Amino acid sequence: EVQLVESGGGSVQAGGSLTLSCAVSSYNVSNHCMGWYRQFPGERAWQRAWVAIINDDGSTIYEDSVKGRFAISKDSAKNTLDLRLNNLKPDDTAMYYCAASVFKTILGTPRPSNFQYWGQGTQVTVSS
């Protein structure tokens, strides 16, 4: 059974940084596309917004509002997916979810339906 477990969330002031990590089991992070999504306060699961994805070849795609501030990466040795969040803003406050796909590559704007496995989420709260 594929399991994704996020960690690293917390409360920070605007301008601060966090690193989220997703520990993965029964799934090889190197061979598939993985991504991070976030769910803003008051929104439903179906409204989760994509943040960044990384394909099997290491290519990445970022949502416009996080470009230049967030960095997604894989650690094949640890079989983890990470997301470095820099220069955080109050608008980044959300529950962040790790997602794994059965596909190797996703081109264009990713959709939640592209990902078959999800973690339970980790909360990021940014105060002004």
Side-chain angles (χ1 to χ4, degrees), residues 27 33-34 37 50 53 99-118:
Y27 176 97
C33 177
M34 296 193 71
Y37 276 74
W50 76 283
I53 67 167
S101 177
V102 297
F103 303 112
K104 292 182 177 292
T105 301
I106 294 174
L107 301 177
T109 302
R111 301 180 179 184
S113 59
N114 292 144
F115 297 90
Q116 291 71 40
Y117 307 105
W118 295 82

Side-chain angles (χ1 to χ4, degrees), residues 24 27-34 54-59 74-81 101 103-105:
V24 184
Y27 176 97
N28 191 328
V29 302
S30 299
N31 296 342
H32 301 88
C33 177
M34 296 193 71
I54 182 166
N55 290 309
D56 68 320
D57 63 356
S59 59
K74 294 178 183 179
D75 188 324
S76 298
K78 297 180 180 179
N79 209 44
T80 60
L81 177 73
S101 177
F103 303 112
K104 292 182 177 292
T105 301

Side-chain angles (χ1 to χ4, degrees), residues 15-29:
S17 298
L18 286 171
T19 298
L20 308 182
S21 187
C22 176
V24 184
S25 59
S26 302
Y27 176 97
N28 191 328
V29 302

Side-chain angles (χ1 to χ4, degrees), residues 10-18 69 85-93 124-128:
S11 298
V12 297
Q13 290 190 326
S17 298
L18 286 171
R69 299 190 299 123
L85 295 75
N86 294 319
N87 191 21
L88 281 160
K89 304 175 181 181
D91 286 349
D92 294 317
T93 294
V124 172
T125 302
V126 185
S127 57
S128 58

Side-chain angles (χ1 to χ4, degrees), residues 58-74:
S59 59
T60 58
I61 307 176
Y62 293 93
E63 192 273 326
D64 285 347
S65 70
V66 307
K67 282 182 182 176
R69 299 190 299 123
F70 292 7
I72 189 171
S73 61
K74 294 178 183 179

